[in-house]
Amino acid sequence: MARSKNSSAVTEQRSGADAPNPVWFKPVMFGFMLLGLAWIIVFYLSQGAFPVPALGSWNILVGFGIAFVGFLMTTRWR
């Protein structure tokens, strides 16, 4: 038996605020948090020689900034 186009089981598409996140969202979110943590750990373990020696102690702020982007993404996670 063929279904007609006007069946009673209409699939609703979620709009804007109710839509689920894309597949890439969660890995990118956790990736930013882990990258920021790794940046800070590398800075401390290398005693300031890495990841960017010219930045000096600003490397800590860069690491926290990268991790903060990941934490901001958690507010949009569904």
Side-chain angles (χ1 to χ4, degrees):
M1 187 166 171
R3 287 188 175 175
S4 66
K5 289 185 180 179
N6 296 331
S7 67
S8 61
V10 176
T11 58
E12 293 183 27
Q13 290 195 1
R14 296 180 183 174
S15 64
D18 296 334
N21 294 111
V23 175
W24 55 266
F25 192 85
K26 191 166 38 169
V28 170
M29 177 182 68
F30 287 121
F32 274 127
M33 287 189 268
L34 291 174
L35 180 64
L37 177 64
W39 190 288
I40 294 168
I41 290 172
V42 166
F43 174 73
Y44 276 117
L45 291 179
S46 69
Q47 296 177 353
F50 294 108
V52 181
L55 291 178
S57 294
W58 287 98
N59 276 304
I60 297 171
L61 185 64
V62 171
F64 277 117
I66 294 170
F68 187 67
V69 169
F71 285 117
L72 283 178
M73 289 178 73
T74 62
T75 64
R76 299 286 184 170
W77 184 23
R78 301 212 162 78

